[in-house]
Amino acid sequence: MSDIMEIDNDGIEQVSLKVYAEKAYLDYSMYVILDRALPHVGDGLKPVQRRIIYAMSELGLKATAKFKKSARTVGDVIGKFHPHGDSAAYEAMVLMAQDFSYRYPLVDGQGNWGSPDDPKSFAAMRYTESRLTAYADVLLAELGQGTVDWAPNFDGTLDEPRVLPAQVPNVLLNGTTGIAVGMATDVPPHNLREVVSAAIRLLEAPRSTVADLCEHVIAPDFPTEAEIITPREDIVTMYETGRGGLRMRAVWEREGGDVVVCALPYQVSGSRVLEQIAQQMQAKKLPMVADLRDESDHENPTRLVIVPRSNRIDVEALMSHLFASTDLERSYRVNLNMIGIDGRPGVKSLDRILREWLSFRTDTVRRRLEFRLERVLKRLHILEGYLIAFLNIDEVIHIIRTEDKPKPALMQRFGITDIQAEAVLELKLRNLAKLEEISIRGEQDELAEERDQLQKILGSAARLKTLIKNELLAVAKKFGDERRSPLVEREEAKAFSELEMVSADPVTVVMSEKGWIRAAKGHEIDPASLSYKSGDGFKIAVQGRSNQPVVILDSTGRAYTVASHNLPSARGQGEPVTGRINPPSGATFEGMMMGAPTQLYLLASDAGYGFVAKLGDMQTKNRAGKAALSLPKGARVLQPSAIAEVEGAFVAAVSNEGRLLVFPLADLPQLVRGKGNKIIGIPPARVQSRDEFVVAVQVITEKESLLVYAGKRHIRLKFSELEHYRGERGRRGNKLPRGFQKVDAIRIEG
């Protein structure tokens, strides 16, 4: 602070608010980054986690120890090492104890430590007990072997380790999340064997690229059997940049007709998933699901049963919808941000993480070996003193008994060092008398052998690498396990559209003369008998299914698409169709069509022109519709005729003058839009003057009959009787019998 202070004329220390605030903010930011939020590449722990693990080791809570009340443990942590409250420390401890949160838990707990369904449902710390797991040894085993830099704790009364001497790259193994000032960390968990294998690869081939290392580290490995569905290339890119994302998908199987979800993505709650599905069912947006059950127990931690409404339901499509609309599929952010061995935070690629960790590990192992070598040399030095004392035992005892200051006397008489003399004097006389040459020389030989071995390793980089490699393999053998999260490439999940949710019930869509539209359930309805507004009446009706849209044809030849499932009921008088579409001013509605997108229709104008069109080609999302049928001058649109089969079908066209022409349907082209080809020959001038025009066009097969209506009379013509009217497309046709020449309508009967 002194560097930003100024002293005024009165000798008062002053600091500008701007400078003070800026420094305070920066100091706080660095404190959060370095001492709270980010893990260290060395041991993969945040400060609070490190303090908990170290405090528990100091309390003797090893994997073999008895469990101890968590409140006592947390109390010890915050009393000695951690400057924050007990709830924050306990929460950090809980996370390390949850086998569904940590891939390799560091704390072994008794009592309620939360459940996969609700990780925050853990009991208060006075009700739980804890100790360290066996895996925690990889962080603590080398603690007292000169491998650690010590720093004063928050109040300066004790020393705490800056970084624990981890034997494996723990930063990748358990993963971690944290939010610091202006940065975040999201490191996913990994498989121990894979990470160790990659570390060894980098140790043996220092120039290995991320792609090389990804041969070993296939992908993150979460503590769940759910599938990682992110493409392999994206995962490699994520490891190269240190940033990216992952997607996980639940695993399901068929049991009878039911769908059983047996593995959920990382940190996804089963009850939350069921709630999401139930909400869709209540909103009637999931009609294909009949029931939901949670059959999870101790044997099956995850078992969610989804019961389809019938065995005709496409289960694959249903699950694809649920993956897209619920937490059965989830994405995870990856941000490999951590404090490096230089003490600076940064986002690191996979190779850089492993390089830094190997550098840290090499330094740790070297320090451990040097510490041990120092101890061995010191002991050898003392043993030399013991041997001299043993060989001159009587004289040594005499000097100790008679001399006031025996140490200098021993040093002078036998030429031993201060340390050796001190060691001899520390032995009690009776122990000094019990010294044996064999045991001394035996220990000397053992230590000399160990000294030579240590010096060999320390003097050779290759031997040091081999030692690190063997230690990594030993840890992998002891704590390694098979991958839990399989890497499976899947197609992108797609949610159902609103239309796909609709059940396929039979409906009859009715249009009135004034353009009011409604839908009646079933196909048995008589549209003409429905009630209509005063001055209005029945015009056209079409039959189909509720999941099929209605295509309406107006008097200008434009086609409009209207959803049928949300049309008003036929119990009422419907609603103006102009509320759903925007036709040109003065246009009336002349035709309606329903069916599958592949359904064929015969479109025709009363000028005697027409073509075959596919229903899907006429559908549009545009409220203004799309051009379908082009009309010659003075011509009007006819109600389209459905086509079941093109082969063996014939077109029957009849004019107002009673001329009937029958010809093969195959003679007409299939178009997307246009005027079409000539069906029956009518002079254009007579069409314009409305003297002659086509009354109706129908598609007929050889098994059907043609009913011709003229006033109150009708005539039935079997297909064999139509031979007289058969001709080439575009001819005038032959006249119907007398009395039936003023045709009102024609109908097909099977």
Side-chain angles (χ1 to χ4, degrees), residues 44-355:
L45 299 175
K46 297 178 189 178
V48 64
Q49 296 171 326
R50 190 176 299 118
R51 285 164 185 150
I52 291 165
I53 298 297
Y54 177 65
M56 288 179 79
S57 74
E58 285 293 283
L59 289 167
L61 293 176
K62 300 283 169 73
T64 51
K66 285 183 180 176
F67 287 93
K68 186 175 175 181
K69 285 284 182 193
S70 303
R72 299 274 307 271
T73 307
V74 170
D76 207 81
V77 171
I78 61 170
K80 290 180 181 174
F81 302 107
H82 200 61
H84 293 308
D86 53 358
S87 60
Y90 183 52
E91 214 161 304
M93 186 170 159
V94 166
L95 194 69
M96 295 190 289
Q98 293 176 335
D99 58 358
F100 49 85
S101 293
Y102 262 38
R103 186 68 179 78
Y104 303 95
L106 293 161
V107 176
D108 180 14
Q110 280 191 156
N112 179 10
W113 290 80
S115 65
D117 219 39
D118 189 4
K120 297 213 168 176
S121 64
F122 50 85
M125 55 188 163
R126 62 182 175 276
Y127 300 121
T128 61
E129 295 181 334
S130 58
R131 65 184 180 189
L132 292 170
T133 60
Y135 174 77
D137 277 353
V138 302
L139 300 171
L140 298 164
E142 298 169 0
L143 202 56
Q145 299 178 27
T147 54
V148 170
D149 290 326
W150 299 86
N153 68 343
F154 65 96
D155 62 0
T157 54
L158 289 164
D159 283 343
E160 62 176 353
R162 290 185 190 272
V163 182
L164 293 176
Q167 293 176 323
V168 284
N170 191 58
V171 69
L172 289 171
L173 297 179
N174 278 320
T176 190
T177 60
I179 300 169
V181 180
M183 62 176 72
T185 183
D186 296 275
V187 184
H190 289 77
N191 186 278
L192 176 59
R193 286 178 184 168
E194 290 179 8
V195 171
V196 164
S197 178
I200 290 169
R201 170 80 177 263
L202 197 60
L203 197 63
E204 292 175 341
R207 292 191 177 179
S208 297
T209 61
V210 172
D212 297 334
L213 299 177
C214 285
E215 292 173 16
H216 304 270
V217 180
I218 302 163
D221 186 26
F222 295 88
T224 168
E225 282 74 29
E227 299 170 343
I228 297 169
I229 60 167
T230 306
R232 183 93 175 102
E233 306 81 60
D234 294 0
I235 292 173
V236 173
T237 306
M238 176 192 84
Y239 283 132
E240 283 172 346
T241 59
R243 287 193 176 93
L246 288 167
R247 291 194 76 79
M248 286 194 86
R249 185 177 286 185
V251 173
W252 63 278
E253 55 194 31
R254 294 289 297 268
E255 271 190 26
D258 300 346
V259 172
V260 177
V261 177
C262 45
L264 290 169
Y266 181 54
Q267 291 179 337
V268 165
S269 159
S271 57
R272 173 69 182 140
V273 168
L274 290 179
E275 189 186 322
Q276 287 172 331
I277 300 171
Q279 280 173 352
Q280 291 190 38
M281 289 168 71
Q282 285 165 359
K284 296 195 167 48
K285 289 188 175 176
L286 210 57
M288 55 286 291
V289 175
D291 192 21
L292 289 175
R293 292 194 305 274
D294 188 354
E295 294 182 357
S296 306
D297 52 29
H298 288 291
E299 286 184 21
N300 303 291
T302 302
R303 187 178 164 85
L304 310 179
V305 183
I306 302 166
V307 183
R309 195 164 291 283
S310 75
N311 56 6
R312 293 189 304 276
I313 299 290
D314 184 349
V315 175
E316 293 283 346
L318 169 63
M319 291 309 294
S320 181
H321 166 76
L322 291 176
F323 289 138
S325 60
T326 69
D327 282 348
L328 286 172
E329 184 176 314
R330 195 162 173 194
S331 60
Y332 301 88
R333 186 175 61 186
V334 174
N335 205 10
L336 304 180
N337 188 21
M338 60 197 73
I339 298 165
I341 52 175
D342 57 356
R344 295 172 179 271
V347 175
K348 304 180 192 295
S349 58
L350 178 63
D351 61 331
R352 192 172 161 201
I353 292 170
L354 289 176
R355 275 198 178 88

Side-chain angles (χ1 to χ4, degrees), residues 7 49 95 118 199 205 245 301 476 536 624 668-669 695 701 710 715 721:
I7 299 172
Q49 296 171 326
L95 194 69
D118 189 4
D536 200 0
L668 279 178
V695 173
T701 63
I715 185 173
E721 296 169 339

Side-chain angles (χ1 to χ4, degrees), residues 685-717:
R686 287 181 65 81
V687 172
Q688 285 183 44
S689 61
R690 303 302 294 170
D691 292 335
E692 190 180 350
F693 51 86
V694 178
V695 173
V697 176
Q698 289 286 358
V699 177
I700 187 169
T701 63
E702 292 178 8
K703 295 175 183 176
E704 295 170 326
S705 303
L706 185 70
L707 272 73
V708 180
Y709 293 85
K712 291 183 179 178
R713 299 175 68 196
H714 74 272
I715 185 173
R716 183 189 303 272
L717 298 170

Side-chain angles (χ1 to χ4, degrees), residues 449-463:
E449 193 179 335
E450 189 180 348
R451 177 198 63 202
D452 295 343
Q453 193 64 30
L454 288 168
Q455 285 173 341
K456 270 183 190 175
I457 295 169
L458 286 166
S460 166
R463 287 177 191 272

